[in-house]
Amino acid sequence: MHTLRIYRYDPDSGQAPRLHDYEVEVDDSQRMLLDVLLRLKATDPSLSFRRSCREGVCGSDAMNINGKNGLACVTNMRSLPETVVLKPLPGMPVIRDLIVDLSGFFAQYHSIKPYLVNDERPPERERLQSPEERELLNGLYECILCACCSSACPSFWWNPDKYVGPAGLLQAYRFLVDSRDQASGERLDNLEDPYRLFRCRSILNCTDVCPKGLRPADAISEIRGMIVRRTV
Ligand code: SF4
Ligand code: SF4
Ligand code: FES
């Protein structure tokens, strides 16, 4: 038996947010937290959360699980204590129950131009990289934009409109080290600012919570080094 203590909030009801306890018996067919949530939703359709892939790929079921951000679909019930407290991602406006408004998060992501910039005519087949150049993208391209990191970052909580946050900065670095990209100068100009990059305080919450094992804080530190040594 588990008690799932879930944050409930319906702005249309006029009631304040509350924690609601659901008692659930978990059998082997519900190995993951998301399986249990889906079963609960079958009995209480008003319970709201996002999910899609069930495989740790889409990033949509990020939530705060017993105080730590993570993905429900890759959280094994056996790893959780008897009482599980589920809250929406911290520091983000709540739309309903476990669903948060990610528009600020995505606005910061888009602000770093998360795409290849190269004005040269592309070769007939593809822009090639050496194995060494391709290797530099490992640990960066795998981000699923779940927002676990940025919503665990105190610097992002205080300045979500000014500080890019760890997810956006990880992607900024991904394009800065891409041998095919030609916009390094503009990318660094865009980040050389007391808030956009330098608001990071190296607390490492971001790296601690990333469900894909990525290290945004390392990427941030590399960008800082690029700005200090910049020649473009
Ligand atoms: S290391 Fe930087 S980006 Fe990561 S949680 Fe701390 S302040 Fe935020
Ligand atoms: S870096 Fe990790 S925690 Fe942050 S958005 Fe990407 S996958 Fe999620
Ligand atoms: S449902 Fe897609 S990552 Fe969990």
Side-chain angles (χ1 to χ4, degrees):
M1 289 296 293
H2 280 272
T3 302
L4 261 57
R5 187 162 295 158
I6 304 180
Y7 181 97
R8 302 296 317 264
Y9 173 55
D10 175 1
D12 295 335
S13 73
Q15 288 177 349
R18 67 188 198 286
L19 290 172
H20 183 83
D21 280 3
Y22 294 88
E23 305 297 330
V24 284
E25 197 172 341
V26 178
D27 63 36
D28 280 348
S29 64
Q30 292 117 27
R31 283 181 44 228
M32 299 299 179
L33 175 58
L34 182 60
D35 299 330
V36 177
L37 282 172
L38 288 170
R39 204 180 88 201
L40 279 183
K41 187 160 175 70
T43 57
D44 179 357
S46 71
L47 178 62
S48 304
F49 52 90
R50 290 194 181 104
R51 85 277 183 270
S52 179
C53 70
R54 289 179 58 178
E55 303 288 344
V57 174
C58 73
S60 59
D61 63 340
M63 57 188 70
N64 188 271
I65 306 164
N66 280 346
K68 186 172 177 180
N69 294 347
L71 300 175
C73 64
V74 295
T75 301
N76 196 311
M77 286 306 293
R78 285 173 202 244
S79 70
L80 296 172
E82 224 162 84
T83 301
V84 183
V85 182
L86 299 179
K87 292 185 182 170
L89 288 178
M92 309 240 172
V94 178
I95 295 174
R96 181 177 171 133
D97 296 346
L98 300 173
I99 298 176
V100 292
D101 181 354
L102 289 166
S103 39
F105 170 79
F106 280 109
Q108 288 295 5
Y109 170 64
H110 289 298
S111 79
I112 60 94
K113 295 195 176 169
Y115 44 82
L116 198 73
V117 177
N118 187 326
D119 292 335
E120 281 172 18
R121 180 187 284 272
E124 210 154 284
R125 285 190 58 198
E126 57 189 310
R127 297 184 197 275
L128 292 174
Q129 289 188 297
S130 69
E132 293 75 23
E133 288 167 342
R134 171 61 187 78
E135 172 77 24
L136 291 176
L137 305 183
N138 288 346
L140 306 172
Y141 79 91
E142 301 93 329
C143 174
I144 57 172
L145 294 173
C146 65
C148 282
C149 56
S150 293
S151 89
C153 171
S155 296
F156 191 71
W157 295 341
W158 308 140
N159 295 288
D161 53 335
K162 297 195 194 113
Y163 175 49
V164 173
L169 290 170
L170 183 86
Q171 289 314 298
Y173 185 59
R174 178 247 174 279
F175 287 99
L176 278 165
V177 294
D178 192 316
S179 57
R180 301 162 297 182
D181 190 87
Q182 295 180 329
S184 295
E186 296 97 279
R187 291 186 188 281
L188 293 178
D189 285 346
N190 179 263
L191 296 174
E192 195 165 354
D193 172 276
Y195 280 93
R196 286 186 58 72
L197 168 72
F198 287 99
R199 216 58 191 172
C200 172
R201 294 290 182 253
S202 305
I203 304 161
L204 298 188
N205 280 7
C206 52
T207 298
D208 186 40
V209 298
C210 177
K212 305 301 280 184
L214 310 181
R215 303 182 60 83
D218 291 1
I220 294 167
S221 158
E222 293 292 341
I223 303 174
R224 282 172 160 162
M226 285 173 136
I227 286 186
V228 170
R229 298 186 299 271
R230 70 180 291 187
T231 53
V232 285

